[in-house]
Amino acid sequence: MRKLEVAAGATLALVLAFGAGPARSQSLDVPFEPQTLETQSLETPQPLDLSSVAEPRPFDASMLDVPRDDRRTMRAFPKNLGRNFVGVFSGQNLFPFAVGLGVTTLASAFDGHSETMLKGACNACGKTGATMGGSAIVPMVGALFVAGRFAPQGRFRSMSYDFAQALVVNGAYTGLLKKTVSRTRPDGSDTLSFPSGHTSTAFSLAGIATHHYGWKVGVPAYALASCIGLTRIEQDRHHLSDVLAGATLGFIVGRTV
């Protein structure tokens, strides 16, 4: 009897346990609302109005020959002078300097006979060549520089600017060498014989003119510069080596500028 009670109690407990079952999990019944994608209607593109667009200019090959003047300004003048003063000692000038030094040294052996050898060699130039390479060159370059400031962009404007730069740089280095070397002139007037300032100025300007206008201007420009140098020897103002040294210095300055 006792066993039956125990069995009945156990059966009742199992029925209650399994009859209740696990607790239901409550799910969140959130209604799903699909998002509708609004489609934007594509408008029909309107044709471009090209009536206001300027027609392209035809290519002109001569435009490539016009030098840019963006660095040749009055404000940049002192800065460009500094560049040119330093640029004289650049590596590209080593070869012309070496050639000029060798020719000048060789010509110094003929300084005593240079006046006799070259007497009458440049009668066509006379005193005109000496004047053009001396006192008259400063106002001439100054006038060209002022005219170039009012001229449109082009070769003349650039050349006149470079003329002014070369005149200052060449004059400074020529004066420094004259004071440093202190060579007596052939006529004994002073000790400013080496190098020839007339020649160095003429050759520097000839080099710049050749750069901007080519050899059609360069040939007569260098011919005039050579005539000026010969005139200085003929007038007993310089030795042959003075003139060759001046030509070397002027060529280097003109090339640098």
Side-chain angles (χ1 to χ4, degrees):
M1 191 69 181
R2 181 68 178 172
K3 292 181 180 181
L4 290 175
E5 294 177 354
V6 172
T11 303
L12 182 60
L14 289 174
V15 172
L16 293 176
F18 286 100
R24 287 186 179 181
S25 60
Q26 297 180 358
S27 60
L28 299 178
D29 296 333
V30 179
F32 175 74
E33 296 181 359
Q35 296 181 356
T36 58
L37 215 8
E38 295 183 359
T39 58
Q40 298 179 354
S41 60
L42 299 177
E43 298 180 357
T44 304
Q46 299 295 328
L48 296 177
D49 184 11
L50 301 179
S51 60
S52 61
V53 180
E55 295 183 0
R57 295 176 57 186
F59 175 75
D60 186 3
S62 62
M63 296 172 60
L64 300 177
D65 297 332
V66 179
R68 295 178 59 187
D69 293 333
D70 52 348
R71 292 179 61 180
R72 293 181 173 95
T73 61
M74 289 298 299
R75 179 178 298 181
F77 196 89
K79 186 177 181 179
N80 290 330
L81 274 180
R83 287 176 178 157
N84 291 324
F85 271 114
V86 177
V88 169
F89 300 96
S90 64
Q92 67 176 358
N93 292 327
L94 286 178
F95 180 74
F97 173 77
V99 173
L101 179 62
V103 172
T104 301
T105 303
L106 181 63
S108 62
F110 303 94
D111 281 344
H113 307 282
S114 59
E115 182 180 354
T116 304
M117 292 170 58
L118 298 174
K119 194 68 174 178
C122 55
N123 288 330
C125 297
K127 294 183 179 181
T128 304
T131 303
M132 291 181 62
S135 57
I137 198 67
V138 176
M140 184 185 74
V141 172
L144 290 174
F145 178 76
V146 173
R149 293 301 89 198
F150 292 96
Q153 290 191 2
R155 296 179 181 178
F156 175 75
R157 181 182 176 92
S158 300
M159 184 187 69
S160 61
Y161 189 94
D162 293 344
F163 273 0
Q165 289 275 320
L167 188 67
V168 176
V169 176
N170 180 79
Y173 280 122
T174 300
L176 179 62
L177 286 173
K178 284 179 177 291
K179 292 292 185 180
T180 302
V181 178
S182 297
R183 188 181 192 184
T184 304
R185 294 184 185 272
D187 60 1
S189 58
D190 55 42
T191 58
L192 302 176
S193 183
F194 185 91
S196 171
H198 288 66
T199 308
S200 63
T201 302
F203 269 83
S204 65
L205 300 184
I208 293 173
T210 303
H211 172 75
H212 288 288
Y213 287 96
W215 287 106
K216 62 182 179 181
V217 175
V219 169
Y222 275 117
L224 177 60
S226 301
C227 187
I228 290 175
L230 294 176
T231 301
R232 301 302 287 166
I233 299 175
E234 187 183 32
Q235 293 182 348
D236 207 27
R237 297 291 291 173
H238 285 288
H239 300 287
L240 177 61
S241 57
D242 300 336
V243 171
L244 292 175
T248 302
L249 176 61
F251 178 82
I252 291 176
V253 170
R255 175 177 177 157
T256 301
V257 172

